[in-house]
Amino acid sequence: MAEHSASLEHRLVVERTARVHTLGALQAPDAWVVLHGYGQLAGRFISQFSTVAGPHRTVIAPEALNRFYIDAPRPGGPSADERRVGTTWMTREDRDADIRDYIAYLDRVAETLASEAQRLTVIGFSQGVATACRWVALGKTSIHRLIVWAGPVPPDLDFARLAQRLGSTPIEIVLGDRDEYALARASEDELRPLRESGIQYRLVRFDGGHAIDPGVLERLASA
């Protein structure tokens, strides 16, 4: 009986259709790219930014490329038409390829929808924090402001590269005092790499949980 050889892995770069939602005037001088968290969809996520969008600011919410059913199939459970769908920026499986793909994707989003903006702000929420940090550090897009909300700065980040891209601009770290997912965030171990790399940061705390707080959002918009 003939022995079967081990399979070979091949890599192909393919085109994909990505979904991006916007609020406000696309030609506005101020643009915010907002990156949602794990299991979220961009259309729902961007609705939380309606109060800060308008003729002078466009809000752009790219949707992560990896969709999945949040509800597991089970006897007597919801049908396929009723099961909730969410997205994720990446998993541990083939993570480096996913990171390269979403960095290229976000560069394309900024080039297509924010090329006329005089100021570009990037906000990452929850899982979107790691995505935002990697994009700012490794992408081609120049930004003016980085806000990380309710999520960890990835420890494997190229902090020297991020420091070079940010210059003297501080990262704004937003945390809810009752955030069950991020109570340990902004610990000494997490902030040390920022300081050692010369990256300035500002902590913004609020009385709330793992969510976008409207009051904090308004203050960030008016800063």
Side-chain angles (χ1 to χ4, degrees), residues 65 97-111 135 138-141:
L65 298 175
D98 278 348
I99 290 171
R100 288 193 299 271
D101 286 347
Y102 72 56
I103 288 173
Y105 164 39
L106 295 173
D107 276 339
R108 180 71 180 275
V109 168
E111 179 184 8
W135 176 35
L138 302 174
K140 299 183 298 183
T141 304

Side-chain angles (χ1 to χ4, degrees), residues 151-164:
V153 175
D156 61 347
L157 187 68
D158 186 340
F159 286 95
R161 175 67 173 161
L162 181 62
Q164 180 183 17

Side-chain angles (χ1 to χ4, degrees), residues 149-153 155 173-194 203 205 208-210:
W149 194 313
V153 175
I173 302 172
V174 184
L175 296 169
D177 290 330
R178 292 182 282 110
D179 187 340
E180 66 273 28
Y181 298 105
L183 285 177
R185 304 301 180 215
S187 66
E188 180 63 24
D189 288 343
E190 186 172 336
L191 296 176
R192 185 181 298 113
L194 298 177
L203 288 175
R205 306 197 76 108
H210 194 74

Side-chain angles (χ1 to χ4, degrees), residues 113-168:
L113 297 175
S115 61
E116 301 300 319
Q118 299 169 18
R119 269 181 66 86
L120 180 60
T121 294
V122 175
I123 299 180
F125 172 74
S126 195
Q127 189 196 40
V129 167
T131 304
C133 290
R134 292 190 180 106
W135 176 35
V136 172
L138 302 174
K140 299 183 298 183
T141 304
S142 297
I143 74 155
H144 297 86
R145 192 180 188 191
L146 174 60
I147 300 170
V148 299
W149 194 313
V153 175
D156 61 347
L157 187 68
D158 186 340
F159 286 95
R161 175 67 173 161
L162 181 62
Q164 180 183 17
R165 297 299 302 273
L166 289 173
S168 61

